[in-house]
Amino acid sequence: MAKIIVVTSGKGGVGKTTTSAAISSGLALRGHKTVVIDFDIGLRNLDIIMNCERRVVYDFVNVINKEARLNQALIKDKRADNLYILPASQTRDKDALSKEGVEQVLEELAKDGFEYIICDSPAGIEHGAFMALYFADMAIVVANPEVSSVRDSDRILGILQSKSRRAEQGERVEEYLLITRYSPERVAKGEMLGVGDVEEILATKLLGVIPESESVLKASNQGIPVIHDQESNAGKAYSDAVSRLLGDNVEHRFVTIQNKGLLQRLFGRSA
């Protein structure tokens, strides 16, 4: 049975689409048939990070409106055999997503044997975001370690607990917290919240801590999910997060100040 995972956040710019690309790629690389859906109608970015924007012919809204079949809109990833992308429309309004239409697409994907359906949600609580989180079995709430991001994430958690399909059925969405752009050095200086501070505020199970890293921007610009870069700390941290998602007990790395090696001290290199 397919597991529907929404990747969501209270505010934009926290690394949500980067996370959707990395988590879906990681699951596929572990052998799980996975699809990632862009719910950000009108402002799609997932296809750029996945380097498939030139291959988009039909999109999510075309499938909902029965202007194309699902298999016509799905794009097979070039790096992971088990991964497919369902892009968003750039020309439609967010209201083009209907609850009935989204449900039908999710059911068809489940029938096609997908084990994981990753829903890349727009930020906030507008219509597209609600459509992405409504059917979720599991939620990955992405937050930066700063007060406004954490506060907005708390609001998203409240919506998951009250307005999702599982909430309507008297059940709970399985919630995870992913902290991005984390710098232990800045925490030590009092410039950002520590992991413990964020956990205490949100009271949500920690899936991973992604360190602030130039490799994330570099990977995005190249159209390569950063999880493929296992030389970078960010790539390793996302791989650890995928392991935890699959039930492995993996210790959190990159949460304390690391002693730099000789080359890093000499040249100031950053992973």
Side-chain angles (χ1 to χ4, degrees), residues 231-255:
E231 295 298 314
S232 73
N233 288 346
K236 294 173 185 174
Y238 271 118
S239 185
D240 288 351
V242 171
S243 295
R244 294 185 197 101
L245 198 63
L246 293 172
D248 296 336
N249 186 15
V250 180
E251 185 178 353
H252 289 280
R253 299 188 277 177
F254 318 116
V255 295

Side-chain angles (χ1 to χ4, degrees), residues 37-153:
I37 307 174
D38 191 346
F39 275 78
D40 202 354
I41 307 301
L43 293 171
R44 76 180 189 215
N45 288 308
L46 179 66
D47 55 307
I48 296 174
I49 290 180
M50 303 297 292
N51 196 24
C52 65
E53 69 271 21
R54 296 184 187 88
R55 297 163 61 197
V56 176
V57 178
Y58 296 109
D59 57 54
F60 192 13
V61 175
N62 290 139
V63 177
I64 287 176
N65 291 341
K66 301 190 184 305
E67 297 161 350
R69 296 178 63 84
L70 180 59
N71 66 337
Q72 291 178 287
L74 286 174
I75 300 171
K76 191 175 187 299
D77 187 67
K78 292 180 179 179
R79 297 178 184 85
D81 287 340
N82 295 299
L83 181 59
Y84 293 80
I85 302 100
L86 183 55
S89 170
Q90 280 187 310
T91 59
R92 308 295 181 97
D93 187 84
K94 296 183 187 297
D95 291 333
L97 295 179
S98 66
K99 192 181 289 187
E100 296 76 16
V102 172
E103 183 175 26
Q104 189 170 17
V105 171
L106 294 175
E107 287 178 352
E108 189 172 347
L109 288 167
K111 288 178 183 176
D112 286 346
F114 283 96
E115 297 174 69
Y116 291 96
I117 301 171
I118 311 298
C119 303
D120 181 28
S121 169
I125 55 173
E126 43 84 4
H127 181 73
F130 176 73
M131 287 294 102
L133 67 81
Y134 179 75
F135 295 99
D137 300 310
M138 181 185 296
I140 299 173
V141 179
V142 183
N144 289 162
E146 48 98 8
V147 173
S148 63
S149 177
V150 174
R151 180 194 63 196
D152 290 345
S153 294

Side-chain angles (χ1 to χ4, degrees), residues 176-216:
Y176 289 96
L177 168 66
L178 187 85
I179 301 174
T180 54
R181 296 179 182 165
Y182 191 77
S183 169
E185 291 81 7
R186 292 183 64 191
V187 172
K189 294 176 183 177
E191 296 175 355
M192 64 171 52
L193 298 173
V195 172
D197 299 323
V198 180
E199 285 186 285
E200 184 177 351
I201 294 168
L202 296 180
T204 304
K205 187 175 181 180
L206 184 65
L207 181 66
V209 178
I210 312 301
E212 190 146 30
S213 171
E214 294 173 3
S215 62
V216 174

